[in-house]
Amino acid sequence: MCSLLLPFGRHGTCTGLSLLLVALATTTSVARAAAPVAPVASVRQTKPEHHHVPSPRKHTRTTTAARTETVAVTAQRRDFSYQEAQRTPDASTRVTADRLIERGIVTVRGLEYIAPNLTIQSINGTASTNFYLRGAGFNDFTQNNMGPVLTYFDDVPFVYSGMTDGMMFDMAGATVTPGPVGTKHGMSDTGGEVMLRTADPTDTWHFGAKQDIASYARSRSEAYVSGPLAKGLTFRLAGQTQHGGGWQTNPLNGDHLGDADLWALRGKLRYQPDSHTTITLSGHFTQDDSQVVTGIPIDRLIGTTALPKLAWRQAEWGIRPQFAKLIGREAGLKPSEHNQYWGADLNMSHDFGPATLTSISAFNTERRGEYTDQDALASSEADTYRDIDSNVFTQELRLSSSHPENRLQWTVGAMYERSRMHQRFFFDYTDYVPARGYMMSTTFGLNQESTSEFGNVSYRLPHNITIWAGLLHELDDRSISNLQSVIYGGTTKNFHGESTAANQFAGQVGISWQMMQNAMLYYKMSKGFKPGGFTANNTQVQGQLDPFKPETVLTYEVGFKSDPIPNRLRINGAAFYNDYHNQQILGTVLIPNYGPDSEITNAPKSESWGFEGTIEARPFERLYLTQNFGWQRGTFQNFPTVNRAATNAYYAAHGVWKAIDSNFAGVDSGQPKLTLNGSAEWRQPLSRRYSLDFGPDWIYRGSQAMTPGGTGFYRLPPYFLMGAHVTFRPAASHWQATIYAQNIFNRHYSESGGQATTVYMYIPGPPRFIGGRISCDF
């Protein structure tokens, strides 16, 4: 008996045995009884856990009668996923594992292709990322602060985004939630959260593999095995490797750049001594030695040397032997990662009857060595090497009501988080003359600790009206110490430590009305809080270590969810307004006789507003459409800072550094105003035994100002990309084959941009990739 891995649980397909969904499968006998009507897809939506993810413990012990009922529900829900979430008052985007595979999303950054008002950008082409959700976000190029949007893997928060590198494989689904969070679980934040779920162990034996080969010798491989070890004890082991794919070439010597070299493992051990208790021990390890995409020079801000004229897939880079020796790496090193991540977590839950107690303990660590060529030139005007050693411990304890059918629902809990970090930056400014002309390093340590208590209660009134309220209190304490800045062959500067603490409340109140069986309205008001921190970048004066302040936001949101034509048309939407105080944002400071330097600072007052929505439709029997759309605007109401563009222009004209100060009151905050993404698919049976699914997908992102008030090349141009796929599947086998294209029109576009010293550069997006993917599982 066979079945294919294809998105959405298409009729005639036994997707329950697919590579990424099999962790949530029922027993083999259930699969036989339900074929060919995607039994696992139905079970995944029948018994949701936290964040609407199913509990394998519950559905793997279903009776025969219940199994028959589940199959009937599947037949009704195969077209639109997460039906139960239509009664949840939020603007979250929920994505199945199959959709992640179909869109080729193998990193956290790819989530912007499937969620509205979401921008995720690489930091200088590296594996580290910056999030912007509904305009909330900032460019943390020093990577030592908690972002406004937090990423969770299996309920564990990753406060430093780089720690998620290599973890998006063997997935069970993803949820993107905009707006302030923290009253039901986890940590407080102002922008929202990305909740990622990995596949769980199964009660019966399953194993499988997937191979993806594409242009530029790109190869991605995955495999897993899952099954029982003893009574009540199950396990799952999964791994992935990534190689090749480098598409940049150096016209000076013909070298190419961008090849992946990554492997990762994840293991889960689950023990269920009885029907009320589940204990899951998980561990993961990633080794990433991938090359990174380097920038393309756009404009020379300082100096008169002409910039090279490069084709879109060309780039220049270079490392001096002296710098390679200083950082302890080999001569001729290409821009690349040399990173190692590992961690473990213990998730324990027990259902006491009226309430369920959950404990989540986690420890994660990173060892990073990262070389980037931040002048985008063969010369050494801003070559950078970053050495990071950090670890994070988190402990969450929460008690929640156990019966979702009760009118009263409640959650209380507490969260503790502690991080330790040591960073060392090396810079090669040898060719940046006469201003610098030297190599230097900056070293510092960072200690951070926070505790929070949270609670949330909701009550369902008559006439299908539900009211709810939540409250969170957080105490955060962090300090930076032992900061030393060394100019080799010159001076050494030592700076005294700084510390900052915050003691804040956040919360939420709301009301929802299920006015019809397939239509709901809601309104909520939320206050979000995010602690302050430090910018430790090329530190030359003590004032650069002044901490930036905590950020708070008051968010108003109104939304609706509807299925006006069940299984044919779904329309969800929300509108929002954000009132920020001390919004954390990347500004500029001018260091005398040194030049402008980036610094995270606060905009005392700012605001943003907009709307977003999702339309899913099946206008014809075999045509399936999905369209996400987001529109937002934001302005600074009070933001005094150094105008980087004007300051650079003054230096170019007079050869003297002079700070040109501006207040950007009334200026647009610069986030993309319009974001669109979607897909169309035609599902065509070829016979009773075979079928073919094919269609395009697309994404549009509006222009983005990379500096406050940015115009010209300081504003990243908009872009529109299209992809497509064709998938063949027999109805009765455990495999599928797909041919796909990404950026099918080979559009030239830029994913991010910035300035380190003398040159403004863009980080280019990848060209057209054409590939094939085959997977099998048993």
Side-chain angles (χ1 to χ4, degrees):
M1 185 185 98
C2 307
S3 144
L4 280 182
L5 161 68
L6 270 209
F8 308 120
R10 300 167 178 79
H11 44 86
T13 302
C14 188
T15 56
L17 299 177
S18 66
L19 176 61
L20 295 183
L21 295 181
V22 73
L24 303 177
T26 56
T27 61
T28 304
S29 60
V30 177
R32 290 198 191 99
V37 188
V40 174
S42 68
V43 176
R44 292 190 65 200
Q45 299 177 45
T46 305
K47 289 283 187 180
E49 290 182 334
H50 185 55
H51 287 278
H52 308 282
V53 176
S55 167
R57 172 174 60 87
K58 295 182 180 180
H59 68 64
T60 53
R61 302 184 180 185
T62 309
T63 64
T64 303
R67 289 199 297 265
T68 305
E69 180 182 357
T70 298
V71 171
V73 173
T74 298
Q76 296 174 358
R77 295 184 179 177
R78 65 174 183 266
D79 301 326
F80 302 145
S81 303
Y82 301 106
Q83 181 64 32
E84 78 286 349
Q86 288 298 98
R87 293 176 175 264
T88 303
D90 61 23
S92 298
T93 300
R94 295 171 173 85
V95 185
T96 64
D98 287 335
R99 176 61 65 86
L100 295 174
I101 295 171
E102 182 192 76
R103 296 300 298 270
I105 298 173
V106 295
T107 66
V108 173
R109 287 179 53 207
L111 293 173
E112 68 175 6
Y113 288 9
I114 53 176
N117 282 330
L118 175 64
T119 298
I120 308 176
Q121 292 172 316
S122 165
I123 301 175
N124 296 318
T126 68
S128 301
T129 52
N130 289 316
F131 285 79
Y132 300 87
L133 184 54
R134 288 183 174 177
F138 71 137
N139 182 7
D140 183 21
F141 56 93
T142 56
Q143 303 173 49
N144 62 292
N145 298 288
M146 187 180 87
V149 182
L150 274 180
T151 302
Y152 291 77
F153 269 89
D154 296 330
D155 281 334
V156 175
F158 284 71
V159 295
Y160 302 124
S161 65
M163 288 184 171
T164 65
D165 185 18
M167 290 187 63
M168 280 200 66
F169 65 98
D170 199 34
M171 299 297 295
T175 301
V176 179
T177 300
V181 292
T183 63
K184 291 184 178 180
H185 78 103
M187 301 176 65
S188 174
D189 219 334
T190 52
E193 65 186 20
V194 175
M195 182 68 69
L196 300 165
R197 293 284 181 180
T198 62
D200 282 324
T202 53
D203 289 339
T204 55
W205 284 99
H206 297 281
F207 57 92
K210 179 172 63 178
Q211 180 63 53
D212 187 320
I213 299 176
S215 309
Y216 304 97
R218 188 179 73 186
S219 173
R220 296 169 178 161
S221 307
E222 293 186 26
Y224 78 92
V225 60
S226 177
L229 295 176
K231 184 179 179 180
L233 183 65
T234 58
F235 85 104
R236 188 179 189 95
L237 182 64
Q240 73 150 334
T241 64
Q242 297 181 16
H243 298 281
W247 50 270
Q248 284 188 312
T249 58
N250 190 334
L252 298 178
N253 54 22
D255 283 352
H256 77 280
L257 183 68
D259 280 340
D261 183 9
L262 177 150
W263 63 272
L265 289 173
R266 178 165 52 241
K268 287 188 177 184
L269 191 64
R270 172 164 290 185
Y271 180 54
Q272 294 172 302
D274 53 55
S275 60
H276 302 289
T277 307
T278 300
I279 302 172
T280 304
L281 176 64
S282 302
H284 67 272
F285 182 92
T286 298
Q287 181 68 47
D288 188 359
D289 294 298
S290 303
Q291 299 166 7
V292 304
V293 174
T294 200
I296 294 177
I298 300 300
D299 190 82
R300 177 168 285 285
L301 303 173
I302 301 168
T304 58
T305 304
L307 296 178
K309 296 186 180 299
L310 302 173
W312 190 252
R313 291 191 288 112
Q314 291 182 330
E316 290 187 3
W317 65 88
I319 185 170
R320 297 170 61 250
Q322 297 90 333
F323 189 59
K325 183 178 180 180
L326 176 66
I327 63 178
R329 299 295 301 274
E330 67 277 10
L333 179 69
K334 295 181 180 181
S336 59
E337 311 276 6
H338 182 52
N339 307 334
Q340 189 178 96
Y341 310 90
W342 61 270
D345 59 89
L346 180 65
N347 188 317
M348 300 183 291
S349 67
H350 182 79
D351 187 349
F352 289 95
T356 298
L357 179 65
T358 301
S359 171
I360 305 171
S361 309
F363 180 83
N364 288 285
T365 186
E366 67 175 333
R367 305 289 184 269
R368 179 182 302 182
E370 185 179 80
Y371 168 57
T372 52
D373 193 313
Q374 294 186 28
D375 51 48
L377 300 169
S379 58
S380 296
E381 299 177 38
D383 292 357
T384 305
Y385 190 79
R386 183 193 310 271
D387 192 352
I388 302 177
D389 185 348
S390 64
N391 61 74
V392 179
F393 172 77
T394 58
Q395 172 63 57
E396 180 174 355
L397 194 67
R398 64 173 180 261
L399 190 66
S400 304
S401 51
S402 296
H403 302 289
E405 69 277 4
N406 290 349
R407 290 183 177 273
L408 178 66
Q409 299 293 312
W410 55 270
T411 298
V412 294
M415 184 81 187
Y416 172 77
E417 183 258 336
R418 186 207 68 188
S419 68
R420 299 291 184 263
M421 175 179 286
H422 180 270
Q423 284 205 32
R424 193 174 186 185
F425 293 80
F426 295 87
F427 307 93
D428 190 354
Y429 298 131
T430 302
D431 295 327
Y432 180 11
V433 291
R436 301 182 191 176
Y438 49 73
M439 296 186 296
M440 66 169 293
S441 66
T442 297
T443 307
F444 67 90
L446 185 74
N447 293 335
Q448 182 270 335
E449 190 170 26
S450 69
T451 57
S452 61
E453 311 83 38
F454 57 85
N456 195 90
V457 61
S458 67
Y459 188 77
R460 189 174 70 254
L461 300 169
H463 308 293
N464 296 318
I465 295 174
T466 300
I467 57 175
W468 73 90
L471 184 65
L472 175 140
H473 169 259
E474 181 171 315
L475 176 63
D476 182 271
D477 190 4
R478 59 187 66 207
S479 62
I480 191 168
S481 60
N482 300 320
L483 195 143
Q484 183 183 74
S485 189
V486 178
I487 296 177
Y488 295 97
T491 61
T492 296
K493 297 180 180 179
N494 293 287
F495 301 90
H496 64 75
E498 296 281 358
S499 62
T500 182
N503 188 351
Q504 288 273 357
F505 285 90
Q508 185 179 110
V509 294
I511 183 170
S512 66
W513 177 32
Q514 193 72 37
M515 55 183 179
M516 291 182 242
Q517 181 179 359
N518 297 315
M520 181 192 70
L521 294 173
Y522 72 89
Y523 168 79
K524 64 180 179 180
M525 182 171 63
S526 311
K527 180 191 175 184
F529 159 75
K530 189 177 90 66
F534 304 94
T535 307
N537 175 55
N538 294 354
T539 306
Q540 299 297 307
V541 295
Q542 183 68 41
Q544 288 179 263
L545 291 182
D546 291 344
F548 53 88
K549 301 175 183 177
E551 170 184 284
T552 61
V553 62
L554 191 60
T555 297
Y556 306 87
E557 180 179 315
V558 59
F560 69 92
K561 293 186 174 182
S562 67
D563 289 284
I565 308 176
N567 296 312
R568 289 283 186 178
L569 180 64
R570 171 177 291 178
I571 305 175
N572 296 340
F576 62 90
Y577 174 80
N578 294 322
D579 183 12
Y580 284 99
H581 291 268
N582 289 318
Q583 183 177 11
Q584 296 166 2
I585 192 167
L586 187 66
T588 300
V589 61
L590 181 67
I591 309 301
N593 301 318
Y594 186 84
D597 207 1
S598 297
E599 183 177 73
I600 301 173
T601 185
N602 298 91
K605 190 71 172 64
S606 57
E607 62 181 355
S608 65
W609 61 94
F611 61 85
E612 62 213 6
T614 299
I615 299 174
E616 296 182 80
R618 185 163 63 96
F620 308 109
E621 184 62 27
R622 295 186 175 89
L623 179 62
Y624 297 80
L625 304 173
T626 300
Q627 178 63 62
N628 294 314
F629 57 89
W631 185 89
Q632 61 182 350
R633 285 290 307 273
T635 58
F636 299 113
Q637 295 167 297
N638 180 21
F639 182 29
T641 188
V642 173
N643 188 320
R644 183 183 286 259
T647 300
N648 283 333
Y650 186 91
Y651 181 85
H654 302 89
V656 176
W657 286 119
K658 178 182 178 181
I660 308 299
D661 296 317
S662 297
N663 191 317
F664 290 93
V667 174
D668 188 278
S669 59
Q671 285 303 299
K673 293 181 175 61
L674 179 63
T675 58
L676 301 169
N677 56 69
S679 63
E681 185 174 61
W682 186 272
R683 306 175 186 176
Q684 180 64 51
L686 300 178
S687 67
R688 295 186 61 182
R689 299 181 58 186
Y690 302 100
S691 64
L692 199 67
D693 301 338
F694 55 91
D697 56 75
W698 54 85
I699 177 174
Y700 172 82
R701 190 158 307 281
S703 65
Q704 178 183 357
M706 301 306 293
T707 61
T711 60
F713 57 78
Y714 290 103
R715 179 171 285 273
L716 207 65
Y719 61 87
F720 176 79
L721 306 176
M722 285 199 71
H725 78 280
V726 178
T727 300
F728 173 79
R729 55 179 179 85
S733 66
H734 297 282
W735 64 275
Q736 74 155 6
T738 298
I739 298 174
Y740 64 87
Q742 298 167 335
N743 189 10
I744 196 169
F745 297 124
N746 205 28
R747 298 289 298 271
H748 298 168
Y749 68 102
S750 300
E751 293 187 328
S752 62
Q755 171 198 357
T757 51
T758 60
V759 171
Y760 199 87
M761 65 179 182
Y762 285 166
I763 302 297
R768 176 172 52 228
F769 271 79
I770 298 176
R773 180 174 59 243
I774 187 167
S775 58
C776 62
D777 61 284
F778 301 90

